[in-house]
């Protein structure tokens, strides 16, 4: 027995009361699930850059609210799962045979539920992790877009440099044939052909300028980069020599796989909770029964009880089977995501290896074409080559340089 002030209690029930009060106090003091606002703001700022007009971007607002609501929903689900371990209050009122009224008040504290409460809490935690991974997934998409656009800026910059060199080379060739024509050793058709090629080179240069400006504008919109100077990194050599190493890295860092894995674990915990819901549970019950006049009978008791609620038509068993099926579907989603990721990784690795092989060939071709125009020009002056051969040599040299740039990036 325990004497506390003027109250005398059985030690077992006194200890139950203390444990229950401590559990409730601890759960009420638990920190709320924090929203990853920093990552969300970065993703939204990248996807929907602020305009100078200052007008409200309603699509940005909708995306922010959708992400916040999804995360809040997972947080509320987590809180609800925690509260399921708290005492539950029941009130029944009615009349017996049109006579005196009866009221029953119950407080049920779960003692043993075969893991139903703990599995629901674990499932809710995984839902919160899945919501975080969903934000990370969108951030990774933006990062991939920024990286792709960054190298597009570098590629268009090198293509622009090559186009300007091509324009200058054609301008010099035009000047050469013009002087020969003035000296009486050239033809008007050769001069007209040179002028046509110069115009084509200038048109190609203008197209390269437009492509460079567009790439820079896209990069600025993604990263809010100021200025137009973008430095190229050193030539990248992959440290992963095998396909298995690359796939392991891809699986480890994939936000999609992480999100699906957390969702699958949540489904597994929920399936376990649904199985437990079909089993009996042990509760500590405090109950008070009151009858109205004329009897005015009252009775109070505290006892341990076994509850079993299989649902209408044994629906609890059907829910358990549905939970198992959802687990299998979640595992299949993970397997599909891994297959898709494997295909992308293998394709990227194949492209990388192919580009490395092409670079060696194109670099050798670029070196061989470097002196080709001068050699053809000397042969033209000696009467062994036509003027069209000289211009075509310049075109081939420029094309090999452009192919090298495209393969490099």
């Amino acid at each position: 027995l325990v004497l506390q002030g003027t109250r005398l209690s059985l030690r077992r029930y006194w200890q139950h009361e203390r444990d229950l009060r401590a559990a409730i106090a601890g759960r009420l003091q638990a920190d709320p699930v924090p929203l990853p606002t920093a990552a969300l703001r970065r993703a939204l700022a990248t996807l929907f850059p602020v305009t100078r007009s200052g007008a409200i971007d309603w699509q940005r607002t909708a995306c922010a609210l959708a992400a916040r609501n999804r995360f809040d929903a997972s947080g509320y689900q987590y809180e609800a799962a925690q509260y399921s371990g708290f005492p539950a209050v029941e009130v029944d009122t009615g009349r017996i045979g049109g006579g005196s009224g009866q009221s029953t008040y119950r407080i049920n504290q779960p003692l043993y539920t075969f893991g139903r409460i703990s599995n629901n809490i674990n499932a809710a935690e995984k839902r919160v992790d899945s919501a975080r991974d969903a934000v990370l997934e969108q951030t990774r998409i933006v990062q991939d877009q920024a990286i792709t656009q960054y190298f597009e800026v570098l590629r268009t910059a090198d293509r622009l440099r090559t186009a300007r060199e091509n324009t200058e080379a054609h301008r010099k060739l035009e000047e050469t044939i013009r002087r020969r024509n003035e000296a009486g050793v050239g033809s008007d058709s050769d001069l007209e052909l040179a002028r046509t090629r110069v115009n084509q080179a200038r048109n190609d240069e203008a197209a390269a300028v437009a492509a460079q400006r567009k790439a820079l504008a896209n990069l600025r919109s993604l990263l809010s980069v100021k200025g137009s100077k973008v430095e190229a990194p050193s030539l990248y050599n992959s440290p992963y020599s095998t396909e298995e190493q690359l796939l392991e890295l891809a699986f480890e860092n994939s936000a999609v796989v992480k999100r699906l894995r957390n969702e699958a674990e949540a489904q597994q915990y929920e399936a376990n909770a649904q199985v437990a819901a079909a089993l009996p549970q042990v509760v500590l019950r405090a109950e008070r029964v009151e009858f109205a006049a004329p009897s005015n009978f009252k009775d109070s008791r505290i006892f341990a009880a076994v509850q079993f609620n299989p649902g209408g038509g044994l629906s609890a068993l059907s829910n358990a089977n549905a939970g198992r099926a959802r687990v299998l579907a979640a595992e299949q989603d993970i397997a599909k995501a891994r297959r898709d990721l494997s295909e992308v990784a293998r394709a990227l690795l194949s492209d990388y290896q192919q580009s490395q092989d092409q670079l060696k060939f194109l670099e050798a071709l670029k070196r061989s074409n470097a002196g080709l125009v001068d050699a053809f020009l000397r042969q033209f002056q000696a009467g062994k080559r036509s003027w069209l051969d000289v211009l075509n040599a310049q075109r081939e040299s420029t094309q090999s340089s452009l192919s090298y740039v495209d393969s490099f990036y």
Side-chain angles (χ1 to χ4, degrees):
L1 298 177
V2 175
L3 179 60
Q4 191 175 24
T6 59
R7 292 180 297 175
L8 183 65
S9 306
L10 293 174
R11 175 170 292 278
R12 181 176 59 180
Y13 293 123
W14 176 82
Q15 188 63 45
H16 284 329
E17 180 183 351
R18 288 176 59 86
D19 294 342
L20 179 59
R21 182 173 58 188
I24 293 174
R27 291 173 180 176
L28 289 176
Q29 294 175 359
D31 294 333
V33 179
L35 175 70
T37 54
L40 182 59
R41 286 196 187 99
R42 287 194 298 270
L44 290 173
T46 303
L47 289 171
F48 307 102
V50 178
T51 60
R52 293 183 179 179
S53 63
I56 297 176
D57 191 334
W58 291 110
Q59 188 169 358
R60 172 193 173 105
T61 303
C63 290
L65 291 176
R68 179 179 292 276
N69 289 336
R70 283 195 298 269
F71 197 86
D72 287 345
S74 63
Y76 291 138
Q77 185 179 5
Y78 177 68
E79 291 180 3
Q82 287 186 314
Y83 288 144
S84 63
F86 283 40
V89 179
E90 297 179 12
V91 178
D92 294 332
T93 62
R95 289 185 176 275
I96 301 176
S100 63
Q102 175 184 348
S103 299
T104 305
Y105 308 94
R106 299 186 187 92
I107 299 178
N108 295 320
Q109 170 61 44
L111 297 179
Y112 187 74
T113 61
F114 289 92
R116 177 175 60 85
I117 295 176
S118 60
N119 278 293
N120 280 330
I121 293 175
N122 292 334
E125 288 177 345
K126 290 301 177 180
R127 294 293 185 192
V128 173
D129 293 338
S130 177
R132 286 197 186 99
D133 291 333
V135 175
L136 177 61
E137 183 180 344
Q138 296 303 316
T139 303
R140 291 282 176 84
I141 292 174
V142 175
Q143 289 174 345
D144 290 343
Q145 292 174 349
I147 291 172
T148 301
Q149 199 58 47
Y150 168 73
F151 283 101
E152 178 65 13
V153 168
L154 298 179
R155 187 185 73 87
T156 55
D158 275 1
R159 286 183 66 91
L160 177 57
R161 176 184 52 79
T162 302
R164 286 172 174 168
E165 292 174 353
N166 182 49
T167 300
E168 180 63 19
H170 276 92
R171 191 191 64 76
K172 290 180 179 179
L173 290 174
E174 180 192 15
E175 181 65 20
T176 298
I177 198 64
R178 186 184 62 79
R179 289 197 302 266
R180 287 177 58 87
N181 197 32
E182 291 175 352
V185 293
S187 64
D188 292 339
S189 61
D190 288 344
L191 180 59
E192 186 63 27
L193 182 59
R195 289 172 177 170
T196 301
R197 291 294 178 89
V198 168
N199 292 331
Q200 291 177 351
R202 288 172 177 167
N203 182 67
D204 293 340
E205 181 181 347
V209 169
Q212 169 71 356
R213 290 175 178 173
K214 180 180 179 181
L216 278 171
N218 291 337
L219 183 62
R220 292 192 194 102
S221 67
L222 286 171
L223 300 179
S224 300
V225 175
K226 296 181 179 179
S228 59
K229 184 178 181 181
V230 179
E231 296 182 357
S234 58
L235 184 60
Y236 174 75
N237 292 314
S238 174
Y240 306 100
S241 57
T242 64
E243 182 178 298
E244 289 74 16
Q245 290 178 332
L246 183 63
L247 291 177
E248 182 180 356
L249 180 69
F251 294 149
E252 181 180 351
N253 292 277
S254 172
V256 177
V257 173
K258 289 180 180 179
R259 175 178 59 81
L260 292 176
R261 188 180 293 119
N262 281 322
E263 290 181 359
E265 292 181 12
Q267 293 285 3
Q268 182 63 63
Y269 284 126
E270 289 177 353
N272 295 340
Q274 288 163 348
V275 171
L279 300 175
Q281 63 175 353
V282 180
V283 299
L284 179 64
R285 176 176 297 172
E287 185 177 81
R288 180 177 177 83
V289 180
E290 296 182 356
F291 288 90
S295 64
N296 292 323
F297 175 78
K298 298 179 181 180
D299 183 30
S300 299
R301 62 178 69 92
I302 298 177
F303 57 92
V306 177
Q307 288 184 332
F308 179 58
N309 183 11
L314 299 178
S315 60
L317 297 177
S318 298
N319 289 333
N321 292 331
R324 296 188 186 97
R326 282 193 290 268
V327 171
L328 294 177
E331 291 174 351
Q332 291 172 357
D333 289 339
I334 294 177
K336 179 181 181 300
R338 290 175 67 91
R339 286 195 301 270
D340 294 342
L341 191 59
S342 298
E343 293 177 1
V344 172
R346 290 190 177 97
L348 291 175
L349 181 61
S350 176
D351 291 343
Y352 173 76
Q353 293 172 343
Q354 184 178 1
S355 65
Q356 293 298 303
D357 295 337
Q358 288 179 344
L359 277 177
K360 297 176 182 178
F361 168 75
L362 291 173
E363 190 172 7
L365 180 62
K366 184 180 176 181
R367 286 196 303 266
S368 64
N369 286 335
L372 185 64
V373 178
D374 292 337
F376 274 38
L377 186 59
R378 288 192 296 270
Q379 293 177 13
F380 166 71
Q381 293 171 346
K384 297 181 179 180
R385 291 283 183 177
S386 67
W387 182 243
L388 182 60
D389 291 335
V390 176
L391 295 178
N392 287 340
Q394 176 59 39
R395 173 181 288 178
E396 292 177 5
S397 177
T398 300
Q399 188 59 46
S400 65
S401 297
L402 293 175
S403 298
Y404 178 83
V405 169
D406 291 340
S407 182
F408 182 82
Y409 292 109

